[in-house]
């Protein structure tokens, strides 16, 4: 995040602001086809996205991205008012077709009402998605220190105390999130690109998958839903002529998939993902991140990720491919 973004994200203001647009025909619009009873009869329910996550992790950037895509964005809305906001959108006669609500600990006096509000939305058959912005402790500390602001929950303690308190407060919400984005190593532009990839399509796909190669020695991706370990395959790093290259190189890829079990693993894991994808669709989950790891994230995981992403695309799953640690060594 840039310093300007840090200052916004790490701020401790108490005001509740609203912003957005009343355009209902921008990119990414999808009608839910669901109605809600209003004083004037039945009206279509707007799409609803709830943006939350760690302070300093990029909530404002995510909200601004949706605003640019034509969503009506409400910042720091008390959770108890979310059902009311949805009902007002339904009464707008299509002028507010998509609503994004930012919920954070600046409104912690109201945060206990969030669970009740989500239950209310479910009872009214309102389809809602939760986007959770995550980041490592080290990254969050650096961001707060760079703008010389306290964490909103640290009180008389340290920044790390506030971060720990916030993680504990948001733990259950993170578990319920439809999409978790780790911004530890992302700048503002990269975060916007991730949000665009998820929300900017002309049609909402049934399921979007992010296939991410990574190196175990750099740590597990915190936003992974599923983790695949390719370290059972021989490492091209120990083949001198292959060591300088990556899994994007045809010779490296051929070496990886010539190993016993490599093709069988790809075939059977793809079949398993088809079963998982069908279950996700039934449960209304639209996003999944599949992390494919090897030791350094350079050879085996990259080659496997490339093949796996191609397989998922042929199954009709919109797929984004990311090589997190390639080039990091």
């Amino acid at each position: 995040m840039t310093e300007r973004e840090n200052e916004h994200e790490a701020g401790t203001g108490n005001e509740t602001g609203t912003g957005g647009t009343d355009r209902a025909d921008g990119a990414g619009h999808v009608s839910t086809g669901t109605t809600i009873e209003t004083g004037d009869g039945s009206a279509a329910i707007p799409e609803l996205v709830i943006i939350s996550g760690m302070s300093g992790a990029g909530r404002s950037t995510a909200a601004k991205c949706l605003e640019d895509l034509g969503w009506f964005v409400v910042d720091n809305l008390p959770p108890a008012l979310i059902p009311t906001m949805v009902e007002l959108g339904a009464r707008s006669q299509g002028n507010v077709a998509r609503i994004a609500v930012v919920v954070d600990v600046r409104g912690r006096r109201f945060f206990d009402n969030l669970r009740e509000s989500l239950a209310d939305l479910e009872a009214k058959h309102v389809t809602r998605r939760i986007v959770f912005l995550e980041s490592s402790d080290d990254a969050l500390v650096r961001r707060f220190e760079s703008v010389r602001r306290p964490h909103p929950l640290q009180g008389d303690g340290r920044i790390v105390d506030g971060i720990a308190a916030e993680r504990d407060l948001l733990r259950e919400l993170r578990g319920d999130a439809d999409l978790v984005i780790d911004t530890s190593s992302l700048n503002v532009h990269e975060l916007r690109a991730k949000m665009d990839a998820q929300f900017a399509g002309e049609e909402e796909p049934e399921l979007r998958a992010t296939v991410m190669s990574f190196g175990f020695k750099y740590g597990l991706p915190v936003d992974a839903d599923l983790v695949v370990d390719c370290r059972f395959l021989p490492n091209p790093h120990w083949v001198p002529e292959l060591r300088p290259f990556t899994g994007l190189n045809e010779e490296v890829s051929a070496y990886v998939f010539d190993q016993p079990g490599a093709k069988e693993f790809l075939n059977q894991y793809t079949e398993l993902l088809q079963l998982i994808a069908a279950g996700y669709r039934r449960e209304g989950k639209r996003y999944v991140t599949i992390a494919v790891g090897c030791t350094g994230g350079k050879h085996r995981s990259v080659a496997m990720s490339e093949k796996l992403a191609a397989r998922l695309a042929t199954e009709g799953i919109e797929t984004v491919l990311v090589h997190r640690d390639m080039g990091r060594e």
Side-chain angles (χ1 to χ4, degrees):
M1 298 295 161
T2 65
E3 183 171 340
R4 182 176 180 181
E5 173 66 14
N6 290 344
E7 185 170 358
H8 182 90
E9 283 292 326
T12 57
N14 295 319
E15 70 279 0
T16 299
T18 61
T21 174
D22 58 0
R23 291 185 293 113
D25 57 349
H29 170 63
V30 179
S31 173
T32 62
T34 309
T35 61
I36 188 172
E37 291 297 326
T38 67
D40 301 326
S42 297
I45 299 178
E47 292 182 72
L48 175 64
V49 168
I50 298 172
I51 301 173
S52 191
M54 300 298 294
S55 297
R59 292 184 307 247
S60 66
T61 294
K64 289 175 183 175
C65 182
L66 290 185
E67 186 176 9
D68 291 342
L69 293 173
W71 293 69
F72 186 90
V73 178
V74 186
D75 188 16
N76 199 26
L77 183 73
L81 297 180
I82 294 177
T84 302
M85 190 69 216
V86 172
E87 184 175 345
L88 291 174
R91 293 177 177 176
S92 70
Q93 298 180 341
N95 290 322
V96 181
R98 293 167 296 163
I99 298 174
V101 176
V102 182
V103 177
D104 57 53
V105 293
R106 287 181 296 170
R108 56 191 176 278
R109 290 174 298 176
F110 309 98
F111 205 83
D112 291 340
N113 296 327
L114 179 58
R115 182 60 53 191
E116 182 179 344
S117 294
L118 293 179
D120 187 11
L121 294 172
E122 184 176 354
K124 295 178 179 177
H125 306 289
V126 176
T127 301
R128 91 290 185 277
R129 288 171 284 173
I130 299 176
V131 177
F132 191 95
L133 281 299
E134 174 68 275
S135 195
S136 68
D137 287 1
D138 289 344
L140 294 175
V141 169
R142 287 195 302 270
R143 292 169 189 173
F144 277 101
E145 288 181 342
S146 70
V147 296
R148 299 191 176 114
R149 288 181 178 271
H151 188 281
L153 292 186
Q154 76 179 75
D156 296 330
R158 301 175 300 162
I159 292 175
V160 291
D161 297 326
I163 293 173
E166 187 175 33
R167 284 201 192 282
D168 186 62
L169 178 66
L170 297 177
R171 193 178 311 278
E172 186 175 354
L173 181 62
R174 187 190 188 283
D176 290 339
D178 299 282
L179 174 64
V180 178
I181 300 178
D182 179 18
T183 68
S184 302
S185 59
L186 301 181
N187 59 36
V188 174
H189 305 293
E190 290 168 332
L191 175 54
R192 289 184 67 93
K194 279 183 172 285
M195 291 295 294
D196 283 342
Q198 301 294 345
F199 291 98
E202 292 184 0
E203 295 184 358
E204 184 71 16
E206 290 188 356
L207 183 67
R208 282 192 175 105
T210 297
V211 178
M212 176 190 301
S213 69
F214 73 97
F216 278 96
K217 70 179 182 179
Y218 300 115
L220 287 169
V222 299
D223 51 347
D225 296 296
L226 304 169
V227 177
V228 179
D229 188 352
C230 291
R231 291 176 296 182
F232 70 94
L233 297 170
N235 193 348
H237 175 80
W238 303 114
V239 181
E241 58 269 27
L242 298 180
R243 182 179 302 176
F245 301 108
T246 72
L248 298 178
N249 180 269
E250 290 186 8
E251 293 181 357
V252 173
S253 181
Y255 175 86
V256 170
F257 284 98
D258 282 343
Q259 304 304 317
K263 294 177 182 177
E264 293 81 0
F265 176 82
L266 176 63
N267 292 336
Q268 294 182 30
Y269 192 68
T270 302
E271 292 181 5
L272 177 61
L273 287 177
Q274 292 173 358
L275 293 176
I276 295 173
Y280 279 163
R281 291 186 181 103
R282 288 193 297 270
E283 293 300 313
K285 183 176 175 64
R286 291 182 172 88
Y287 311 101
V288 59
T289 297
I290 305 163
V292 182
C294 62
T295 302
K298 178 180 178 180
H299 296 113
R300 293 166 290 181
S301 63
V302 172
M304 187 65 72
S305 294
E306 290 283 329
K307 296 289 188 182
L308 182 59
R311 290 285 186 91
L312 294 179
T314 62
E315 297 296 329
I317 299 175
E318 185 173 321
T319 306
V320 177
L321 184 60
V322 178
H323 298 304
R324 190 191 75 174
D325 298 323
M326 191 174 66
R328 187 169 178 176
E329 76 285 347

